[in-house]
Amino acid sequence: ELCRGKAGSIDGGFDIRLRSGEDKDFTLRLHAAGYRLLSLPSPAAIHWGYEKDFGEWVRKEFWRQSSHGALLAKGGFGKLRLLRFPLVAVGHWVADILAIMALLAGAPALALACLALSLLPSLLITFRHPLNRSLAVLPRMWFMHWLRFHIGGVAVVTGLMGLAERRART
């Protein structure tokens, strides 16, 4: 037993079955056990390196988002905190597909509206961080967030498909 809260206990610390997202899973379990979670406005953290190129960034981003299916399968379908990113990420692909279908159907206004739905969440996230308010940085950060949502959408769907395949085999 790792620690005791008002409402229960947390066993085992990080869930080693998760490829990523184990910290999110752990904090959700702490909260469910009755612990109060605090957020530091300026946490001190050491980052041991950054991606060397764009390909490495794409692979790491796919890896980071690949555990959403496993987190949701652990009972996260009722938790907005866990559903938010997967829904927005998959929603990007849905909006893009609808935009393409609208263009093919000869409805450019509808295609533009669907494209705006795909671009809006990444724009909002870009403006949320004060460092991204520079006009020079803003377009690049907007694109990176937009791309991150698309990579995340693929990771979420493939993660859920892999989870379904593993369950079908057992």
Side-chain angles (χ1 to χ4, degrees), residues 122 126 131-132 136-147:
S122 50
T126 300
L131 296 177
N132 296 336
V137 173
L138 186 124
R140 288 179 281 174
M141 291 308 297
W142 187 8
F143 174 73
M144 294 302 281
H145 286 301
W146 179 84
L147 186 59

Side-chain angles (χ1 to χ4, degrees), residues 25-154:
D25 171 65
F26 184 61
T27 57
L28 288 169
R29 288 186 287 127
L30 281 172
H31 181 72
Y35 286 91
R36 221 176 108 202
L37 303 173
L38 302 175
S39 174
L40 299 173
S42 299
I46 297 173
H47 192 278
W48 292 107
Y50 294 94
E51 295 81 7
K52 293 171 187 61
D53 56 37
F54 183 72
E56 185 179 352
W57 179 81
V58 169
R59 287 186 299 279
K60 279 189 176 180
E61 195 56 41
F62 185 86
W63 170 78
R64 283 190 216 32
Q65 307 309 330
S66 65
S67 284
H68 276 287
L71 285 170
L72 293 171
K74 285 183 73 171
F77 284 102
K79 294 182 175 99
L80 180 60
R81 177 81 176 108
L82 287 179
L83 281 174
R84 187 175 50 196
F85 182 86
L87 288 176
V88 173
V90 172
H92 271 69
W93 283 100
V94 171
D96 291 343
I97 291 167
L98 290 174
I100 292 168
M101 291 172 61
L103 273 177
L104 293 174
L110 181 59
L112 193 57
C114 291
L115 183 61
L117 282 175
S118 176
L119 295 172
L120 187 61
S122 50
L123 181 64
L124 293 173
I125 287 175
T126 300
F127 277 115
R128 186 177 74 182
H129 196 282
L131 296 177
N132 296 336
R133 295 210 176 117
S134 160
L135 290 179
V137 173
L138 186 124
R140 288 179 281 174
M141 291 308 297
W142 187 8
F143 174 73
M144 294 302 281
H145 286 301
W146 179 84
L147 186 59
R148 178 177 169 257
F149 278 123
H150 283 82
I151 294 166
V154 172

Side-chain angles (χ1 to χ4, degrees), residues 157-170:
V157 170
T158 57
L160 288 172
M161 288 174 17
L163 194 62
E165 287 174 17
R166 284 191 295 277
R167 284 191 178 163
R169 281 189 240 134
T170 58

